[in-house]
Amino acid sequence: MIDYQTFCEIKRMYNEQKLSPNQIGKILGIDQKTASRWANRERFSKKVTLRRTCVIHSFSERIDNLIKECPEYSAQQIFQMISEEDYKGSYSTVAHYVAKVKSRHKKAYLTLKFEPGECAQVDFASCGSIKLNSTSRKYYAFIMVLCYSKMMYVEFIYNQNQENFLQCHRNAFEYFGGIPKNIMVDNCKVAVLEHNRHGNIKFNPQYLDFAYHYGFNIKACGVRKPNEKGQVEKAVDYLKGNFLRGRGIVSGIAFLNSICRYWLDNLANTRIHKTTRKRPVDMLQQEKNDLGNINVLPYDCSAVKTVRANSQFRVVFDTNKYSVPANFASTVLTVRIYPDKLLFYHDDSLIAEHRRSYERYQDFENSEHIKKHLQQKRNARDQKMMCSFLAITPKAPDYYRGLKEKRFNSKDHIRKILALCDRYGRQKTASAMEDALELEAFSSEYIANLLEQRERFTPAESPLHLLRNRDCLDIEIKPTDMSVYTAIEKGR
């Protein structure tokens, strides 16, 4: 769309200067088609656009009624409904009108007030990524706020799972020094399994058991009604805006929790709260008398899972490998999962314990688990070695008893004797062992010395030449000279 001044310039160039639309477009910096269209017009007029409300004018009353019946209807749902009633317009027109109508019907919310010790609100918050040694992982914040005093507890975790959820509750109770009568949660699976629009709620059984152990009631917010837990929603915004903002990727969740505790004790819970105009830490002193006592028996917050060890006696959990004793290889086991450790059981007996790692693809081996396996292999090798030694000669058992009595490291001597047997042969080694047994010389060095000497001073056997029978007939044997013996006799 061009303005009136540009239109006049186009008409002047076209009529007076006799320029073509292409030339006019290059001079004025507009498209050739635009220049041609306006050059052929007699007068300037602005483009008339239809208002979107005119397109759905006949359906406006119907849309208003639908929004009154259910304010949660989306523009897409309304578009589908009126399309079935012969609406011919576009979805964008409906969306524009629905947004305009809904802006006039914003909900009004009451300000909720709570008595001391009456209620606390709980929520998770996604906080970004945290850097570990070899990887990075997402991390979350567990937040609990006492509704009366506005006292806040924050703990950072790696997973929004059952064991972390319950353990963070325990830590929050200890931080506050008591337990509220009610805890309000949203519809996360660790707390609420089902919650329909008719108000039917199915709580997580383990969370119910946890609540019974500590004596509080669970209050679930309505579906898609975050305003019902506005206290903790504001705390999430405050945490992100005043503690996490600008930190980027942190280098350890333990360090993060330590500085967060300092932030809670020295800033978040000691500031003047905007609503109460008092410090939450001071309000907590008034609320403590109305908080319930903490059960002296701590609740077991672990999750239980059935796993199978592989042939390398490892259990794979959360991409990491954890060793168990070698005799439990390829065995079905039970693992108790805690936020900071893993306990492995077989038939209710604890067989292994590991510190839980939140890195990925790591292998954690306990040296005690492999020691017994190596000992079994060593015993098998020793047994095989002993069988080979006893097979050298029938007198080998007697020689072995002598070795055990005379020598401290009898197995080393047996190992060396077997090496001599491979070098000199079984028969020669057996002969040397029998001679050493008669002399009560119990040592591999003595047997090695015997074999070496016999190998050195024993003449080599000459080859045997066989004679034919005919040759034997031609042999002449000279008579023996006996004078030599006579001379020797006289000399005596």
Side-chain angles (χ1 to χ4, degrees):
M1 184 65 185
I2 64 173
D3 55 14
Y4 180 72
Q5 183 178 357
T6 306
F7 170 73
C8 294
E9 191 68 19
I10 292 173
K11 296 294 289 183
R12 185 183 66 80
M13 292 181 180
Y14 186 73
N15 295 327
E16 297 178 7
Q17 299 181 7
K18 305 300 181 179
L19 298 178
S20 66
N22 187 23
Q23 292 173 323
I24 295 172
K26 290 181 179 179
I27 294 173
L28 298 179
I30 59 177
D31 187 68
Q32 175 187 351
K33 293 180 180 180
T34 303
S36 176
R37 185 170 65 250
W38 287 100
N40 295 319
R41 286 193 180 185
E42 294 296 330
R43 64 176 64 183
F44 176 79
S45 62
K46 291 185 177 180
K47 186 178 179 181
V48 179
T49 57
L50 295 176
R51 298 176 63 85
R52 292 187 179 185
T53 53
C54 296
V55 180
I56 58 171
H57 180 72
S58 57
F59 290 89
S60 59
E61 185 177 353
R62 173 62 173 155
I63 295 174
D64 292 343
N65 292 333
L66 288 173
I67 294 175
K68 288 180 181 179
E69 291 175 8
C70 182
E72 296 179 357
Y73 276 146
S74 65
Q76 182 64 40
Q77 290 175 303
I78 295 174
F79 173 71
Q80 292 172 356
M81 292 177 187
I82 63 176
S83 294
E84 295 173 358
E85 300 173 7
D86 203 28
Y87 169 72
K88 302 300 183 182
S90 65
Y91 166 73
S92 60
T93 304
V94 176
H96 179 79
Y97 183 78
V98 169
K100 186 176 180 180
V101 172
K102 284 190 174 182
S103 65
R104 299 196 301 262
H105 295 86
K106 291 185 177 180
K107 290 183 178 180
Y109 299 102
L110 295 174
T111 302
L112 299 179
K113 293 186 179 181
F114 299 91
E115 297 295 325
E118 179 184 355
C119 187
Q121 295 179 1
V122 170
D123 199 5
F124 285 118
S126 179
C127 301
S129 299
I130 192 167
K131 186 177 181 182
L132 300 178
N133 293 331
S134 58
T135 185
S136 63
R137 292 194 60 157
K138 292 181 179 179
Y139 73 105
Y140 308 88
F142 169 89
I143 305 174
M144 181 182 287
V145 178
L146 294 177
C147 296
Y148 174 76
S149 63
K150 308 299 185 291
M151 191 74 176
M152 179 169 58
Y153 174 79
V154 178
E155 183 173 345
F156 294 99
I157 53 178
Y158 288 110
N159 293 318
Q160 301 179 58
N161 49 25
Q162 194 73 54
E163 60 270 19
N164 278 299
F165 186 61
L166 300 183
Q167 185 63 50
C168 288
H169 273 69
R170 277 182 49 183
N171 297 341
F173 296 157
E174 294 174 1
Y175 182 75
F176 295 142
I179 302 173
K181 298 180 180 67
N182 305 292
I183 291 184
M184 188 175 292
V185 296
D186 59 9
N187 294 281
C188 53
K189 292 300 181 182
V190 291
V192 180
L193 298 181
E194 294 180 8
H195 191 176
N196 57 30
R197 296 181 182 275
H198 304 291
N200 298 323
I201 303 174
K202 182 179 179 182
F203 292 108
N204 188 301
Q206 191 169 1
Y207 191 43
L208 273 176
D209 187 57
F210 180 85
Y212 177 78
H213 182 84
Y214 284 105
F216 65 85
N217 300 314
I218 307 172
K219 300 293 182 181
C221 295
V223 179
R224 297 179 182 178
K225 293 183 178 179
N227 57 288
E228 294 184 2
K229 54 181 181 65
Q231 300 286 347
V232 72
E233 293 289 342
K234 292 179 181 178
V236 170
D237 295 338
Y238 179 71
L239 173 71
K240 291 183 176 181
N242 291 270
F243 179 74
L244 291 176
R245 182 175 294 171
R247 292 192 182 274
I249 298 180
V250 295
S251 59
I253 208 165
F255 173 73
L256 188 63
N257 276 322
S258 65
I259 60 176
C260 181
R261 177 61 64 88
Y262 180 85
W263 176 78
L264 286 172
D265 294 341
N266 295 277
L267 179 61
N269 291 324
T270 58
R271 76 189 193 282
I272 301 298
H273 198 275
K274 290 183 179 180
T275 303
T276 62
R277 307 307 304 169
K278 296 180 181 179
R279 300 196 313 165
V281 67
D282 297 331
M283 297 283 288
L284 178 64
Q285 299 303 320
Q286 304 174 19
E287 189 175 18
K288 264 192 175 180
N289 295 331
D290 297 289
L291 294 175
N293 296 325
I294 302 175
N295 196 324
V296 294
L297 298 176
Y299 185 85
D300 188 352
C301 299
S302 65
V304 180
K305 185 179 179 181
T306 300
V307 294
R308 179 183 288 274
N310 60 23
S311 57
Q312 286 80 36
F313 48 94
R314 297 289 196 279
V315 174
V316 180
F317 178 79
D318 197 16
T319 74
N320 292 317
K321 298 179 180 179
Y322 299 90
S323 68
V324 295
N327 54 313
F328 293 102
S330 303
T331 305
V332 177
L333 306 173
T334 301
V335 57
R336 283 193 171 274
I337 307 166
Y338 293 89
D340 58 343
K341 62 182 178 181
L342 300 173
L343 303 181
F344 297 94
Y345 292 84
H346 182 260
D347 293 338
D348 298 329
S349 298
L350 180 64
I351 62 171
E353 179 177 352
H354 284 276
R355 180 186 62 82
R356 183 175 179 179
S357 173
Y358 288 93
E359 296 187 47
R360 294 189 182 277
Y361 306 106
Q362 303 297 312
D363 187 13
F364 299 96
E365 181 183 80
N366 188 333
S367 59
E368 294 296 325
H369 295 163
I370 196 173
K371 184 182 294 184
K372 189 175 181 180
H373 183 60
L374 293 176
Q375 186 64 35
Q376 290 175 350
K377 286 192 171 183
R378 190 179 296 112
N379 292 338
R381 289 196 299 267
D382 292 346
Q383 186 176 7
K384 186 176 180 180
M385 180 182 68
M386 184 59 64
C387 291
S388 300
F389 175 76
L390 296 177
I392 295 176
T393 174
K395 295 185 178 180
D398 297 332
Y399 197 79
Y400 174 66
R401 283 190 290 271
L403 280 174
K404 287 189 67 175
E405 293 177 1
K406 302 292 185 179
R407 301 294 176 182
F408 176 73
N409 51 347
S410 59
K411 289 183 180 179
D412 291 341
H413 287 275
I414 292 174
R415 193 175 293 108
K416 292 177 182 179
I417 292 171
L418 288 174
L420 293 172
C421 188
D422 294 337
R423 179 179 177 184
Y424 294 101
R426 178 176 174 181
Q427 186 175 359
K428 292 180 180 180
T429 307
S431 176
M433 283 179 61
E434 292 170 358
D435 294 343
L437 180 62
E438 291 183 3
L439 297 174
E440 297 185 354
F442 301 104
S443 170
S444 60
E445 289 82 1
Y446 186 81
I447 294 176
N449 188 36
L450 281 178
L451 291 171
E452 186 178 354
Q453 289 185 9
R454 290 177 181 179
E455 190 75 14
R456 183 184 302 174
F457 296 107
T458 300
E461 296 180 356
S462 60
L464 177 63
H465 298 282
L466 298 177
L467 302 175
R468 293 171 297 177
N469 293 336
R470 184 177 175 182
D471 294 336
C472 293
L473 296 176
D474 297 334
I475 297 176
E476 294 182 1
I477 300 176
K478 295 181 180 181
T480 305
D481 186 6
M482 303 301 294
S483 60
V484 177
Y485 298 100
T486 305
I488 293 173
E489 187 67 26
K490 289 180 178 181
R492 288 181 179 178

